[in-house]
Amino acid sequence: MPDPGGPLLLAVPSAVEGRAILRRCPPGAEILRCGVGPSAAGRLAARLARGSAAGVLAVGTAGGLDPDLAPGALLLPAELRLAGGERLRL
Protein backbone atom coordinates (compact mmCIF):
# COMPACT_ATOMS: atom_id res chain seq x y z
CA MET A 1 0.00 0.00 0.00
CA PRO A 2 1.38 3.44 -0.88
CA ASP A 3 2.48 5.72 1.94
CA PRO A 4 1.11 9.22 1.23
CA GLY A 5 3.82 10.66 3.48
CA GLY A 6 6.60 8.77 1.73
CA PRO A 7 8.74 9.99 -1.12
CA LEU A 8 7.89 9.77 -4.79
CA LEU A 9 10.20 7.13 -6.25
CA LEU A 10 11.69 7.86 -9.65
CA ALA A 11 12.62 4.41 -10.94
CA VAL A 12 15.46 4.51 -13.46
CA PRO A 13 16.93 1.46 -15.19
CA SER A 14 20.52 2.74 -15.36
CA ALA A 15 22.92 5.10 -13.64
CA VAL A 16 23.08 7.20 -16.82
CA GLU A 17 19.32 7.76 -16.69
CA GLY A 18 19.54 8.52 -12.98
CA ARG A 19 22.15 11.21 -13.56
CA ALA A 20 20.07 12.67 -16.40
CA ILE A 21 17.00 13.12 -14.17
CA LEU A 22 18.94 14.32 -11.12
CA ARG A 23 18.81 18.03 -12.01
CA ARG A 24 15.04 17.88 -12.60
CA CYS A 25 14.20 15.73 -9.59
CA PRO A 26 11.22 17.13 -7.61
CA PRO A 27 11.95 18.10 -3.98
CA GLY A 28 11.63 15.09 -1.69
CA ALA A 29 11.68 12.57 -4.53
CA GLU A 30 14.06 9.64 -4.40
CA ILE A 31 15.88 8.20 -7.41
CA LEU A 32 15.97 4.41 -7.32
CA ARG A 33 18.16 2.58 -9.82
CA CYS A 34 16.04 -0.47 -10.45
CA GLY A 35 17.70 -2.17 -13.42
CA VAL A 36 16.02 -3.89 -16.35
CA GLY A 37 13.97 -7.07 -16.65
CA PRO A 38 11.74 -9.27 -14.52
CA SER A 39 14.06 -9.56 -11.51
CA ALA A 40 14.49 -5.77 -11.43
CA ALA A 41 10.72 -5.35 -11.57
CA GLY A 42 10.41 -7.77 -8.67
CA ARG A 43 12.83 -5.76 -6.54
CA LEU A 44 10.92 -2.58 -7.30
CA ALA A 45 7.60 -4.27 -6.48
CA ALA A 46 9.03 -5.49 -3.15
CA ARG A 47 10.10 -1.95 -2.29
CA LEU A 48 6.62 -0.65 -3.07
CA ALA A 49 4.99 -3.47 -1.08
CA ARG A 50 6.78 -2.25 2.04
CA GLY A 51 4.66 0.89 1.80
CA SER A 52 7.68 3.16 1.84
CA ALA A 53 6.71 5.37 -1.10
CA ALA A 54 3.85 7.64 -2.09
CA GLY A 55 4.12 6.42 -5.67
CA VAL A 56 6.48 5.49 -8.44
CA LEU A 57 7.29 7.05 -11.78
CA ALA A 58 9.38 5.11 -14.28
CA VAL A 59 11.87 7.41 -15.95
CA GLY A 60 14.16 6.32 -18.74
CA THR A 61 15.20 6.51 -22.32
CA ALA A 62 12.84 3.79 -23.58
CA GLY A 63 15.39 3.10 -26.27
CA GLY A 64 14.16 -0.42 -26.92
CA LEU A 65 10.50 0.44 -27.48
CA ASP A 66 10.56 1.73 -31.02
CA PRO A 67 13.52 2.60 -33.23
CA ASP A 68 11.46 5.43 -34.74
CA LEU A 69 11.33 7.32 -31.42
CA ALA A 70 13.54 10.40 -31.40
CA PRO A 71 15.76 11.26 -28.41
CA GLY A 72 13.73 13.29 -25.95
CA ALA A 73 10.38 11.83 -27.03
CA LEU A 74 7.83 11.89 -24.23
CA LEU A 75 5.68 8.79 -23.78
CA LEU A 76 2.48 9.22 -21.80
CA PRO A 77 0.25 6.27 -20.92
CA ALA A 78 -3.45 6.29 -21.74
CA GLU A 79 -4.20 4.34 -18.56
CA LEU A 80 -2.66 2.94 -15.39
CA ARG A 81 -3.33 -0.61 -14.29
CA LEU A 82 -3.56 -0.91 -10.52
CA ALA A 83 -2.49 -3.95 -8.51
CA GLY A 84 -6.10 -5.15 -8.14
CA GLY A 85 -6.64 -5.09 -11.89
CA GLU A 86 -8.53 -1.81 -11.93
CA ARG A 87 -7.79 0.45 -14.90
CA LEU A 88 -7.43 4.15 -14.32
CA ARG A 89 -7.90 6.19 -17.52
CA LEU A 90 -5.64 9.22 -17.76
Side-chain angles (χ1 to χ4, degrees), residues 41-73:
R43 288 190 302 273
L44 181 58
R47 168 73 188 269
L48 295 174
R50 291 195 304 264
S52 59
V56 64
L57 178 64
V59 179
T61 60
L65 290 178
D66 186 335
D68 292 331
L69 289 174

Side-chain angles (χ1 to χ4, degrees), residues 2-38:
D3 175 4
L8 171 65
L9 289 181
L10 300 175
V12 297
S14 72
V16 169
E17 291 158 321
R19 286 191 300 275
I21 195 67
L22 191 57
R23 290 195 294 173
R24 303 284 185 170
C25 189
E30 182 180 324
I31 297 173
L32 176 65
R33 184 171 167 217
C34 59
V36 176

